[in-house]
């Protein structure tokens, strides 16, 4: 068994059919036990059903929500979903177009809660009902450096699309806009990368690291 999954060599991770007496735990999938498990999951979830994995993650999800605007069919959503799954984010919210390229999610969308909102107004209304503070992430004048900010434990981090960034409507609705420090020539970084940096900032401030794999 390899130490961890990799998208660069799909045949290199996973396990073969179960060796020995079959477990009776209902979390195990009979088909996977018989044929082997080559999914992109941590070893602790080998042979488990998808439903059992989601149920277990639900006991450890963080009160962190992620939203990304998708008005121009953004290609970064899959990366955002995959990273959100890695950090046990509660829900990824997609605003705008329902369709998005799932390839970058590497099948993690099967284990991550997703919610769609037609407009930013719909998202903000939902967040207010859930008592979540909405924080936009964008490098614009007047933004607060993410590196110096204290993030609320219950919050929703909102990201714009590659290129145009967070829409003015989203900026107006957020309690603050946070920026990521940059030191090179480019005016912005990839939206999927920005989301990963922001999520990890929240993890460093609020997560119980003893529960990490």
């Amino acid at each position: 068994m390899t130490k961890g999954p990799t998208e660069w060599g799909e045949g290199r991770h996973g396990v073969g059919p179960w060796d020995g007496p079959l477990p009776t735990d209902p979390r195990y999938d009979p088909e996977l036990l018989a044929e082997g498990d080559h999914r992109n999951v941590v070893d602790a979830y080998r042979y488990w059903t998808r439903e059992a994995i989601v149920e277990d993650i639900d006991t450890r999800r963080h009160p962190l929500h992620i939203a990304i605007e998708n008005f121009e069919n953004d290609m970064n959503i899959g990366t955002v979903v995959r990273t959100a799954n890695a950090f046990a984010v509660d829900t990824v919210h997609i605003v705008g177009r329902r369709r998005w390229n799932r390839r970058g999610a590497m099948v993690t969308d099967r284990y991550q809660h997703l919610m769609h909102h037609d407009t930013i107004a719909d998202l903000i209304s939902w967040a207010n009902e859930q008592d979540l503070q909405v924080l936009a992430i964008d490098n614009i004048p007047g933004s607060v450096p993410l590196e110096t900010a204290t993030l609320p434990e219950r919050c929703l981090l909102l990201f714009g699309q590659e290129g145009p960034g967070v829409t003015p409507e989203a900026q107006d609705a957020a309690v603050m806009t946070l920026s990521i420090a940059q030191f090179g020539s480019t005016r912005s970084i990839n939206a999927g990368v920005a989301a990963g940096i922001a999520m990890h900032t929240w993890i460093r401030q609020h997560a119980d690291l003893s529960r990490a794999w």
Side-chain angles (χ1 to χ4, degrees):
M1 183 185 304
T2 60
K3 188 66 175 178
T6 169
E7 66 269 41
W8 306 118
E10 283 300 306
R12 292 171 52 199
H13 64 77
V15 291
W18 184 273
D19 184 17
L22 294 178
T24 58
D25 190 322
R27 292 176 297 185
Y28 287 92
D29 186 316
E31 183 175 337
L32 294 175
L33 291 171
E35 300 180 3
D37 186 356
H38 299 281
R39 299 172 299 173
N40 182 16
V41 298
V42 296
D43 288 346
Y45 289 144
R46 286 297 176 203
Y47 303 110
W48 284 28
T49 67
R50 182 185 67 84
E51 293 77 12
I53 293 174
V54 173
E55 183 177 352
D56 188 72
I57 298 174
D58 283 346
T59 67
R60 300 180 291 104
R61 289 196 193 275
H62 297 119
L64 171 65
H65 292 249
I66 302 298
I68 184 167
E69 296 181 284
N70 187 39
F71 297 117
E72 298 177 4
N73 198 22
D74 196 291
M75 299 293 288
N76 293 287
I77 294 177
T79 300
V80 173
V81 170
R82 182 180 180 184
T83 307
N85 169 265
F87 291 137
V89 163
D90 188 295
T91 304
V92 173
H93 303 259
I94 300 170
V95 184
R97 294 174 181 261
R98 287 183 177 273
R99 297 188 64 182
W100 52 279
N101 189 328
R102 295 175 181 259
R103 183 175 182 180
M106 293 293 292
V107 199
T108 56
D109 52 307
R110 297 181 182 179
Y111 310 97
Q112 176 62 53
H113 296 309
L114 306 174
M115 184 177 294
H116 175 261
H117 306 268
D118 289 323
T119 66
I120 284 294
D122 293 336
L123 172 70
I124 299 304
S125 176
W126 181 90
N128 290 338
E129 292 174 357
Q130 303 300 315
D131 194 28
L132 292 169
Q133 294 192 50
V134 178
L135 309 176
I137 310 292
D138 202 358
N139 284 13
I140 61 173
S143 58
V144 177
L146 176 65
E147 295 74 17
T148 63
T150 299
L151 303 182
E153 185 173 14
R154 289 184 51 80
C155 67
L156 183 150
L157 303 179
L158 173 58
F159 300 86
Q161 299 183 122
E162 191 74 22
V166 176
T167 59
E169 182 182 6
Q171 292 175 18
D172 292 342
V175 298
M176 72 170 67
T177 299
L178 301 166
S179 60
I180 297 173
Q182 297 176 203
F183 303 90
S185 63
T186 183
R187 66 173 295 275
S188 64
I189 58 178
N190 175 271
V193 173
I197 292 170
M199 283 186 250
H200 192 254
T201 298
W202 187 97
I203 290 294
R204 293 188 63 182
Q205 294 183 15
H206 296 293
D208 179 358
L209 299 183
S210 69
R211 305 190 71 184
W213 294 120

